[in-house]
Amino acid sequence: MQETVLVGVDWGTTNLRAYAFAADGSVRAKTARPTGITRMSVPYGDLLEELCGELGAGADTPALLCGMVGSRQGWIEARYITTPCTLDGLVEGLVSAPHAPRRVLVVPGLDSQSGSAPDVMRGEETQLLGLMDGVGGAERLVCMPGTHCKWVRLAAGRILDFRSYMTGEAFAALKDHTILGRQISEGAVHDAAAFAKGVGMAQEARGRGPGGLLNLLFGVRTLGLFDRLDPAAAASLMSGLMIGAEIADALGPQPPAEPVVVVGSAGLSARYRDAAEALGVRTTIADEDIATRGLWAIARAAALASR
Amino acid sequence: MQETVLVGVDWGTTNLRAYAFAADGSVRAKTARPTGITRMSVPYGDLLEELCGELGAGADTPALLCGMVGSRQGWIEARYITTPCTLDGLVEGLVSAPHAPRRVLVVPGLDSQSGSAPDVMRGEETQLLGLMDGVGGAERLVCMPGTHCKWVRLAAGRILDFRSYMTGEAFAALKDHTILGRQISEGAVHDAAAFAKGVGMAQEARGRGPGGLLNLLFGVRTLGLFDRLDPAAAASLMSGLMIGAEIADALGPQPPAEPVVVVGSAGLSARYRDAAEALGVRTTIADEDIATRGLWAIARAAALASR
C-alpha cells in the first residue's frame, strides 16, 4: 500500500470529511464525522490526530484543512482573499494552526468586493481549484447549489468573481414560517411538472425587479386558494420559482457561451440542471471528487506534500 | 343622541373592530375585540349580538361585516369578485349570514386574474371604497402596507387591479429563521440611515430580475461580517432593502403622475413614504377612518341603512 503523504480535511459547519492522499494524489483512505465546527466537543488538534490515526497517517504527515474551520468561529481564522484570485494567491493566504502536533495549514476563504455588499465563500474555493484542471482557458460559469448557492466566474486559472444566493435557506424559512406552508403538504415527493411551472413563472417575470419575487411567491398561496395547485406539488412549484429566479438573475442578460458547470449533491444539481435547461442554458455536472482534487492542488502548490 | 342605523364590523384574522353608525354616516360608538376568526370561542351570531348590545344597537339594526369573516374559514364565505370592480359590483356580491338573529350581510373579497397566478384581498376592498370619495376620477396608485402589502390601481369609482407582496411576512421569516438573524440585534430601534442605505441598494439593483433579491439579502450577512453594518442597524437595512425592492417593482418603469396613496398603520406608512420618496415618488397618507367610510358607502349602496 502507498504511503500517506497528506491528510486533507473538508471541515464544514455541521460535518467534516477527511482524506488520506498517496504521493500520486490518489485518495487511499477516507472518513467522515458529524463534528463540524458548531458541534465540536474536543479540541481541534485532538480530533485531527484521531482522524490521522484512523487514516493511517504517520506522525509527521502534514494536514491541509479547508472550509469553516478557517472562519473566525473555527480553529484559526484564515482571512478572505479578494477575487480575482489564482491558486498561488490562495496558497499565499494559507495559515498555520498553532500548537498543533503536526504541520497543519488552513485554506483561506474568498471574498468579492464588486457588488453593493461584499460576498464570501469558504470551502467552495477548494472545490473550484479542483475543477480548474478540467475547465481550460475559456471563461466558465460555475453554479454551486446549497444553503447559499454560489455562482462563480472562472477563467484561465483564475477565480474571477462570484455571487451568493440564499435560495436554499430562504426556501426553508418561507415554507416553514409563512402562510405559504399552509398550501404545502409535508413529505411530498418532487413534482417535475410543478417545478417546471415555477421555472416558467420566473422566466415570464425576468423583466421585473428584485421585489417581484415577493409578489410571485404569494402566487403559491393563491394558486392553492383557487384549487389550481395540488398541495403535494406546491413545494416543487415554489422551488422551481425560486431556483428559476435565481438562475435567471445569475445568468444576466447575456447567457454564457459554454455550458454552466454545476457542482453539488446529485439531487440538487439535477434541479438546477433542469431549471437552467428550461431557461435555455446547457449544463454539465461536475465530478464528485473535486474537493479532494482541490486539496491536492493546493498542497502541491504549497510544497506541503512534496515527498 | 342619534339612533344607530347600522353596525359595521371589520372582522379580521386576529382582531375585530365594530362601529355603530348614525343616519348621517357618522360613527357614534365603537368597540374592539381580540377575537378574529382564528380566535373564536363562541358562535359568530352570539358574538355579534354581544357587540350590538355594547354599541347600543336595536334588535332590528342591520349589520355589515367585512374582512376574513367572509373567507372560507370565517362565518360564511362571500366569494371573491374579479377586478375591475365597482361599488355596485361589490354590493351584488354581498352574502347574507344564515340563521342570524338580525339582518347580517358580509362583504366579498376581490381577486385579480391578470398575473401568472391569481391575487386576492379581503377587507382592503372596503377601505378602498372608503378612499374613493377623496380620490376623484384620475387613476391613482394605492399602497396598503401590512403582512401582505397590496398595491392597487383605482380610477373613476373602479378598483382596476392589484398585486400583493408578502414583504412583511417574508421579512419576519428571514430575520428569525435564517443566518441573517445572526447579524441583527433584537429590539433595535429604527435606524433611518440604514433603512435609506437598504432602499439605495434596492434602487441600484432595479435592472436585475426577481432572483436578485436572494443575492441582495445575503449582503445583510456579509456587511456585518466585514464590520460595515452595526447589528443594531441591520434590521433597518434589511427592511429598507425589501421595502425598496417591493416599491420599485410595484411602481414599474413608469412612476405614477399622481402621489401614491399610502393606507396603513402610522409607523409602517412612514417607512413606505420614506422609501417611495427616496425612489422619487410622492406620497399622501390616507385618513385613518377609511374603513368606516367604506362600510358606510357599501351599506348605503345596498340600501341596508336606509332609515
Side-chain angles (χ1 to χ4, degrees), chain A residues 72 113 118-120 148 163-164 166 169 177-179 205 208-212 214-215 218 222 225-226 228 245 249, chain B residues 72 113 118-120 148 163-164 166 169 177-179 205 208-212 214-215 218 222 225-226 228 245 249:
Chain A
R72 211 175 293 171
Q113 302 290 341
D119 210 323
V120 293
H148 302 150
R163 268 187 187 167
S164 303
M166 49 188 299
E169 197 177 20
H177 301 286
T178 73
I179 200 171
R208 293 176 60 178
L214 298 164
N215 168 242
F218 196 65
T222 49
L225 268 182
F226 284 81
R228 284 167 52 188
D249 183 70
Chain B
R72 210 174 293 172
Q113 302 289 340
D119 210 323
V120 294
H148 302 148
R163 266 186 189 169
S164 303
M166 49 187 300
E169 197 177 19
H177 301 285
T178 73
I179 200 171
R208 292 175 62 178
L214 298 164
N215 168 242
F218 195 65
T222 49
L225 268 182
F226 284 81
R228 285 167 53 188
D249 183 68

Side-chain angles (χ1 to χ4, degrees), chain A residues 13 68 72-73 80 111 113 116-120 148 150 163-167 169-170 173-174 177-180 182 197 201-202 204-228 242 245-246 249, chain B residues 13 68 72-73 80 111 113 116-120 148 150 163-167 169-170 173-174 177-180 182 197 201-202 204-228 242 245-246 249:
Chain A
T13 303
M68 292 304 285
R72 211 175 293 171
Q73 293 76 37
Y80 300 108
D111 70 76
Q113 302 290 341
S116 57
D119 210 323
V120 293
H148 302 150
K150 312 288 181 193
R163 268 187 187 167
S164 303
Y165 291 78
M166 49 188 299
T167 311
E169 197 177 20
L174 294 169
H177 301 286
T178 73
I179 200 171
L180 301 184
R182 286 201 219 158
K197 180 175 173 170
M201 286 168 67
E204 259 182 68
R206 276 182 107 137
R208 293 176 60 178
L213 190 66
L214 298 164
N215 168 242
L216 293 167
L217 283 166
F218 196 65
V220 177
R221 162 91 177 133
T222 49
L223 285 168
L225 268 182
F226 284 81
D227 298 324
R228 284 167 52 188
M242 293 180 72
E246 174 197 330
D249 183 70
Chain B
T13 303
M68 293 304 284
R72 210 174 293 172
Q73 293 75 37
Y80 300 107
D111 70 76
Q113 302 289 340
S116 58
D119 210 323
V120 294
H148 302 148
K150 312 288 180 191
R163 266 186 189 169
S164 303
Y165 291 78
M166 49 187 300
T167 311
E169 197 177 19
L174 295 168
H177 301 285
T178 73
I179 200 171
L180 301 183
R182 285 201 219 159
K197 180 173 175 172
M201 285 168 67
E204 259 183 67
R206 275 181 107 139
R208 292 175 62 178
L213 190 66
L214 298 164
N215 168 242
L216 293 167
L217 283 166
F218 195 65
V220 177
R221 161 93 177 135
T222 49
L223 285 167
L225 268 182
F226 284 81
D227 298 324
R228 285 167 53 188
M242 293 180 73
E246 174 197 329
D249 183 68

Side-chain angles (χ1 to χ4, degrees), chain A residues 97-117:
Chain A
H99 317 301
R102 66 179 68 231
R103 188 161 182 222
V104 178
L105 290 181
V106 179
V107 179
L110 298 182
D111 70 76
S112 160
Q113 302 290 341
S114 68
S116 57

Side-chain angles (χ1 to χ4, degrees), chain B residues 81-113:
Chain B
I81 309 291
T82 302
T83 50
C85 177
T86 61
L87 173 57
D88 289 344
L90 206 71
V91 165
E92 280 173 34
L94 288 170
V95 170
S96 281
H99 316 301
R102 66 179 66 231
R103 190 164 181 219
V104 178
L105 290 182
V106 179
V107 179
L110 298 182
D111 70 76
S112 161
Q113 302 289 340

Side-chain angles (χ1 to χ4, degrees), chain B residues 16 35 37 47 58 62 96 126 146 155 214 219 225 233 240 244 270 278 287 300:
Chain B
L16 69 81
T35 47
I37 67 159
L47 186 51
S96 281
T126 302
L214 298 164
L225 268 182
D287 295 340
R300 257 186 327 180

